[in-house]
Amino acid sequence: LSSRPLFIRSASIVPLAENKIMNLASDPVTDLKLLIEPSGDCSFDLYQDDGVSMDYLKGAYLLTHISLKAGKETVVDFRHEGSYTGSLRRMHIDMICPDQPPAQVRIGNTVLKQYPDGSELSSGSGWFFDEALKSVQIMYPALQEDFSVVISF
């Protein structure tokens, strides 16, 4: 009763701003959390531009196509289009894992360090499994190039 439940559709990606935003017009999203329910394949398009000018007509935008391929190796692909340098500095993937914790998480060919809990994960890259929430928490600096996050079970 002390909290409100968040109902999420199966096979979906829900973006959430993690940094404090008081004004959508002036406060940029710097820390983005993707809440993922991986029971099936899904995708989401994240669009960014300066929000003020018409420069998006000249290609000054960033469209990030985020797709999820569910399985024993769950793959979250990030593909970018456009020339805009977004305001994102930090990414946080919160993926529901009700059956079992992951064995390994990697970005491209780089294996991320596993932490026993989230207290040590305030900066840098890494992951931990939250037993209470039954979810894997993956954090890393935002990347502008195309890449994949692979969660192996």
Side-chain angles (χ1 to χ4, degrees):
L1 294 174
S2 64
S3 66
R4 292 184 201 118
L6 174 64
F7 297 99
I8 182 170
R9 185 177 65 177
S10 294
S12 62
I13 301 170
V14 179
L16 304 165
E18 283 199 306
N19 59 298
K20 190 172 187 175
I21 297 179
M22 300 300 285
N23 183 331
L24 285 173
S26 62
D27 297 339
V29 175
T30 58
D31 298 6
L32 183 68
K33 178 179 187 174
L34 298 177
L35 179 56
I36 299 176
E37 198 295 318
S39 61
D41 298 351
C42 59
S43 65
F44 174 79
D45 288 327
L46 176 66
Y47 180 84
Q48 300 174 74
D49 65 15
D50 67 11
V52 179
S53 72
M54 301 293 277
D55 288 347
Y56 70 93
L57 295 171
K58 301 173 191 166
Y61 67 90
L62 183 61
L63 178 64
T64 306
H65 183 71
I66 305 166
S67 62
L68 175 99
K69 178 87 170 141
K72 282 190 101 85
E73 273 204 344
T74 299
V75 179
V76 184
D77 265 329
F78 294 81
R79 301 291 169 240
H80 299 86
E81 170 189 320
S83 62
Y84 181 71
T85 301
S87 59
L88 292 181
R89 300 295 170 247
R90 187 140 178 83
M91 293 290 295
H92 175 184
I93 294 176
D94 180 353
M95 191 171 77
I96 300 165
C97 304
D99 300 326
Q100 64 183 3
Q104 183 185 77
V105 176
R106 65 181 193 274
I107 295 178
N109 294 326
T110 304
V111 176
L112 296 183
K113 181 176 180 180
Q114 180 181 3
Y115 291 92
D117 59 50
S119 62
E120 298 177 50
L121 199 52
S122 60
S123 64
S125 299
W127 69 278
F128 72 98
F129 182 72
D130 189 323
E131 185 67 40
L133 296 176
K134 297 288 186 199
S135 69
V136 61
Q137 307 292 317
I138 306 164
M139 296 182 195
Y140 56 93
L143 303 170
Q144 294 288 326
E145 68 272 1
D146 295 348
F147 66 97
S148 296
V149 177
V150 180
I151 302 103
S152 300
F153 292 95

